[in-house]
Amino acid sequence: MPELGINIDHVATVREARKTNEPDPVLAAALADLGGADGITFHLREDRRHIQDRDVQLLRETVTLPLNFELACEKNVVDIACQIRPYQATLVPERRAEVTTEGGLDVFGNRARIIEVIQQLHDAGIVVSLFLDPDEAQIEAGQEVGANAVELHTGAYAHAAARFDFQRELDILRTAAACVVDLGMVLHAGHGLTYHNVKPVAAIQHMGELNIGHSIIARSITTGLVQAVRDMKRLIERGAGLS
Ligand code: PXP
C-alpha cells in the first residue's frame, strides 16, 4: 500500500497570513502522526512564504516520522537541507509568481545544476526524489542524473474535468509510473490529490508514496487533522485494494 506523506505547508500559510504564531505546522505534524501519517512533507521556499527556517529546525527535533524536505536547486535551501538531513529531499521547480508548484522539474534545462545538487544531498546521506511531469523523457533524464525516486506530478489528472480527460490523464500517469519502476527508481505521486480522486492513483502498481496537503488540511478545519488523516489513509487502503 502507498505510504501517505502529509504536506503541512498550508498550516504555515494560514499562520503567515497574519504573521502570528498559530496555527503551528509543528503541532500539525504531531497530529498527522497520530492520524496514521507515514511521513511529513514540507517545502522551504526561497521566499519563505509559508514554512520558516525555525519550523524546519523544530520539525527535525520533534518529528519521528521520515521527513520529506521539498526544495528548489538554490544554494541557500540546499545547504539547509544538508545540515538538517531529512530522510528524503524532493527537488521541485520554483517560480515566485506561482500560487503553488505549477509544473514538474525540467531536468534537461537544469541538468548540470541538478547533478551537482543531487551529489551534495547524497553526500549528506539524503535520498533524492525529483518532482516530474508524467513524461518519459524527463523520467529517463531523472534516472541519468542519479535520482533515487520520482514523484509524478498529478496536477493534470487532478484538474481533468471531463471523464474522458480524467481517463486519459490516468493512463498517462500509469505509463509514466511503469517507466519510473522499469528504470529502477522508487515511485511517488502528488499534487492536487483529494478524497475524491485519490483511489485510482493509490491503485497504480508499485506506488510507494503519495504526498497530499491542501485537501487534508482543508478537511481538518471541520473534522480535525487526526480524523482527516485517518479518512485519507482509509481511502488509500481501499484504492490499493483495487490494484
Ligand atoms: N508534492 C509536491 C512536490 C508539491 O509541491 C505539493 C504542493 O505543495 C504537493 C505534493 C501537495 O499538493 P497538494 O497541496 O495539492 O496536495
Side-chain angles (χ1 to χ4, degrees):
M1 187 177 97
E3 300 205 323
L4 172 60
I6 304 293
N7 184 316
I8 55 171
D9 296 348
H10 301 286
V11 178
T13 298
V14 175
R15 179 190 61 193
E16 296 305 314
R18 285 292 176 95
K19 298 280 175 214
T20 177
N21 59 3
E22 62 182 2
D24 182 1
V26 180
L27 174 58
L31 294 173
D33 188 352
L34 283 179
D38 301 295
I40 299 297
T41 293
F42 58 86
H43 183 177
L44 186 67
R45 293 185 70 104
E46 250 199 296
D47 62 11
R48 305 298 197 270
R49 72 169 69 155
H50 40 53
I51 294 290
Q52 305 295 309
D53 296 44
R54 177 177 178 273
D55 298 324
V56 174
Q57 191 59 45
L58 289 174
L59 289 166
R60 169 76 282 180
E61 289 170 20
T62 59
V63 174
T64 52
L65 295 171
L67 291 177
N68 176 31
F69 189 141
E70 287 181 14
L71 70 159
C73 288
E74 297 297 333
K75 182 177 175 358
N76 169 271
V77 282
V78 174
D79 287 349
I80 294 173
C82 289
Q83 178 236 318
I84 290 288
R85 292 177 185 247
Y87 167 70
Q88 178 171 272
T90 299
L91 298 179
V92 299
E94 230 175 75
R95 282 189 293 271
R96 270 173 196 266
E98 69 191 2
V99 175
T100 178
T101 314
E102 279 167 6
L105 195 64
D106 176 9
V107 185
F108 293 109
N110 304 283
R111 194 184 153 88
R113 178 60 185 149
I114 291 172
I115 290 174
E116 221 170 61
V117 172
I118 291 179
Q119 191 58 55
Q120 198 181 335
L121 293 164
H122 278 167
D123 288 348
I126 302 166
V127 166
V128 180
S129 178
L130 303 181
F131 184 53
L132 300 181
D133 289 328
D135 172 300
E136 288 188 39
Q138 290 286 355
I139 294 166
E140 282 166 13
Q143 193 242 12
E144 281 166 26
V145 296
N148 307 99
V150 169
E151 178 174 334
L152 293 177
H153 192 321
T154 49
Y157 161 81
H159 296 130
R163 204 176 182 80
F164 172 78
D165 292 340
F166 171 84
Q167 194 53 52
R168 190 192 56 211
E169 294 300 337
L170 185 57
D171 288 343
I172 290 171
L173 281 177
R174 287 188 182 129
T175 305
C179 177
V180 171
V181 174
D182 287 348
L183 289 170
M185 295 181 286
V186 176
L187 175 64
H188 304 160
H191 202 93
L193 295 177
T194 69
Y195 296 87
H196 301 290
N197 65 22
V198 75
K199 278 204 277 183
V201 179
I204 293 175
Q205 288 269 308
H206 305 291
M207 185 56 71
E209 178 181 306
L210 299 177
N211 286 304
I212 310 181
H214 186 265
S215 187
I216 294 174
I217 301 304
R219 178 175 288 214
S220 77
I221 292 173
T222 45
T223 66
L225 188 53
V226 174
Q227 189 59 45
V229 173
R230 272 191 198 131
D231 291 348
M232 186 59 84
K233 278 285 282 193
R234 197 170 321 118
L235 285 173
I236 291 174
E237 237 168 65
R238 285 196 208 140
L242 295 174
S243 61

